[in-house]
Amino acid sequence: SKDDVAAAEEAVGLVPGVEKVWMQTFGCAHNISDGEYMKGALKTYGYTVTDKREDAQVWVINSCTVKDPSQASFMRVVTEGKDKGKGVVVAGCVPQA
């Protein structure tokens, strides 16, 4: 039925490894290295990593508290993702601070 098809299509977004993920890294060289590692892990688990944030259902934002301009840029991207209804994952030392 149409209801079953609609429910199945909605559930696809809940299955790990199905969503497209966009990732942005701010800050230090260590964060850049961590970001590359995270991208590789996401791909290994079946996620599609895209360079186009508008195509992604999930945004992974990796940032650093050491460099203040990076933190301000990071917060703008977090707010934008939330406003657009994207799943937002915060990584790096900002969420640890």
Side-chain angles (χ1 to χ4, degrees):
S1 78
K2 285 185 180 180
D3 291 338
D4 292 336
V5 170
E9 288 174 349
E10 185 176 333
V12 166
L14 304 174
V15 176
V18 175
E19 294 92 354
K20 285 186 182 176
V21 178
W22 172 76
M23 185 168 196
Q24 173 87 36
T25 296
F26 295 97
C28 64
H30 185 83
N31 267 29
I32 293 168
S33 175
D34 286 351
E36 291 302 314
Y37 180 83
M38 286 187 268
K39 281 183 184 179
L42 288 165
K43 288 177 183 178
T44 297
Y45 284 104
Y47 290 91
T48 300
V49 178
T50 180
D51 291 333
K52 297 179 182 179
R53 62 182 171 181
E54 62 273 3
D55 292 345
Q57 291 83 29
V58 178
W59 290 10
V60 176
I61 307 162
N62 182 26
S63 191
C64 176
T65 58
V66 175
K67 300 186 177 189
D68 188 49
S70 294
Q71 187 171 354
S73 297
F74 159 83
M75 290 307 299
R76 281 193 294 276
V77 174
V78 169
T79 300
E80 180 185 349
K82 291 167 104 180
D83 290 348
K84 291 184 176 187
K86 305 292 183 175
V88 176
V89 177
V90 175
C93 57
V94 169
Q96 296 171 17

